[in-house]
Amino acid sequence: MSTLRMAAVAASFDRDLEADFARIERLVAAARAAGVRLLALPEACLGGYLSSLDGGAEGPPALDPDGPEIRRLAALAEDMVVCAGYCEEAGGRRYNSAVCVTGDGVLGRHRKVHQPLSEDASYAAGDRFAAFDTPVGRLGMMICYDKAFPESARALALDGAEIVVCMSAWPGSRTNPSADLAEDRWKHRFDLFDRARALENQVVWLSANQAGSFGELRFVGSAKVVDPAGEVLAATGVGPGMAIAELDVRQAIDTARRAMGYLRDRRPDAYPPTARELALAVEGPQR
């Protein structure tokens, strides 16, 4: 039996990159002291997220995907596997991106595919989900709104991901906010997506999120580790913190899939793309 100690973070990050790196350094040190080998940091932890989703917010600093900031993150990681979100500058476009690193360099990358509200005014969209091998197992990454689409996690699971890391800057409801953030309806959705995606794909799920407030947004925190049966092993609640859990990943997946294997028992021939779905793929989604 080989167990993996892993952690997902809820914390606040802003435009001050030096302060962000100082916070990341403290989080990595705390995780290392706790024996963590895989650490998930939130979406946009290098430079902060957007201050609003109305399409007019100034974006975070755009970073070179092979630049000094990513190398600095890798140096902080050392022998730990660390996933973190940032704003990527590539080919004259800005992407809401995530990177997975160790001290040896970059292991994997992801560009956010699904864009809520007016996020597309600030970022170009990614176009794929792909798993990759790491020292702690085969991982897949996604960012925030990506998890609202079952196809995102399913694509990673079918590509062999044993662990999915979802990094978010998920806020509370804007139109009907709850005075108690723990009772907020968007917080409820955040938690429901985490458990459903883990269960329906029978994978280990790490969910990191921003906490506190930035601009007009109040984030729901709620970082967590979920097992392949959809059970929450550790969670931070709505405040900042680090959810830490230890699990034999391969054994947990094998146990979950032994009788009810949702990937194994799929019938793709029974649900091919419809004519409408194919048309939308050509025309693009309707807003």
Side-chain angles (χ1 to χ4, degrees):
M1 178 183 296
S2 177
T3 62
L4 173 65
R5 198 161 176 83
M6 61 200 99
V9 167
S12 301
F13 296 91
D14 56 28
R15 294 287 182 267
D16 187 337
L17 271 174
E18 283 304 315
D20 292 339
F21 269 111
R23 187 170 293 109
I24 290 169
E25 185 172 5
R26 291 193 296 270
L27 289 165
V28 168
R32 181 170 288 115
V36 169
R37 295 171 56 209
L38 170 62
L39 179 66
L41 297 169
E43 173 184 6
C45 65
L46 296 181
Y49 185 56
L50 304 173
S51 58
S52 76
L53 288 170
D54 62 6
E58 179 182 349
L63 308 178
D64 183 337
D66 299 307
E69 295 84 5
I70 304 303
R71 292 195 296 272
R72 184 176 178 182
L73 181 69
L76 287 175
E78 297 182 1
D79 60 347
M80 193 182 301
V81 176
V82 176
C83 300
Y86 72 107
C87 177
E88 175 191 350
E89 173 72 37
R93 291 184 164 189
R94 296 160 60 95
Y95 296 91
N96 189 341
S97 293
V99 64
C100 180
V101 298
T102 67
D104 292 330
V106 173
L107 300 171
R109 302 182 187 274
H110 174 68
R111 290 171 175 169
K112 188 174 183 179
V113 173
H114 302 97
Q115 298 176 306
L117 302 172
S118 295
E119 193 182 86
D120 58 354
S122 301
Y123 301 106
D127 61 4
R128 69 198 64 183
F129 293 91
F132 52 93
D133 293 320
T134 79
V136 297
R138 190 160 175 83
L139 263 61
M141 297 190 297
M142 66 177 66
I143 300 175
C144 203
Y145 193 46
D146 283 338
K147 73 177 177 182
F149 300 84
E151 297 88 349
S152 305
R154 180 54 50 90
L156 292 173
L158 290 174
D159 198 22
E162 299 171 311
I163 303 169
V164 174
V165 177
C166 184
M167 291 152 274
S168 299
W170 191 288
S173 173
R174 300 187 310 159
T175 56
N176 187 23
S178 172
D180 182 356
L181 192 56
E183 300 299 323
D184 190 271
R185 62 195 181 105
W186 282 22
K187 192 265 187 195
H188 175 71
R189 294 175 188 177
F190 182 86
D191 293 339
L192 189 59
F193 283 135
D194 284 337
R195 298 187 67 179
R197 298 296 167 256
L199 172 61
E200 68 194 3
N201 294 289
Q202 297 170 311
V203 295
V204 175
W205 188 273
L206 270 66
S207 178
N209 195 25
Q210 295 264 353
S213 298
F214 184 69
E216 299 176 5
L217 304 179
R218 181 179 64 151
F219 301 109
V220 303
S222 304
K224 64 180 72 64
V225 180
V226 187
D227 75 8
E231 299 300 326
V232 177
L233 302 180
T236 64
V238 296
M242 186 182 298
I244 301 176
E246 187 166 331
L247 190 67
D248 184 323
V249 173
R250 189 65 257 167
Q251 183 183 64
I253 291 174
D254 288 346
T255 298
R257 295 179 180 178
R258 186 171 297 134
M260 306 293 285
Y262 303 141
L263 301 184
R264 178 195 66 220
D265 296 339
R266 292 171 67 248
R267 287 285 309 278
D269 55 310
Y271 29 84
T274 65
R276 178 171 173 76
E277 186 178 354
L278 293 172
L280 284 174
V282 173
E283 299 169 6
Q286 302 299 309
R287 285 190 174 273

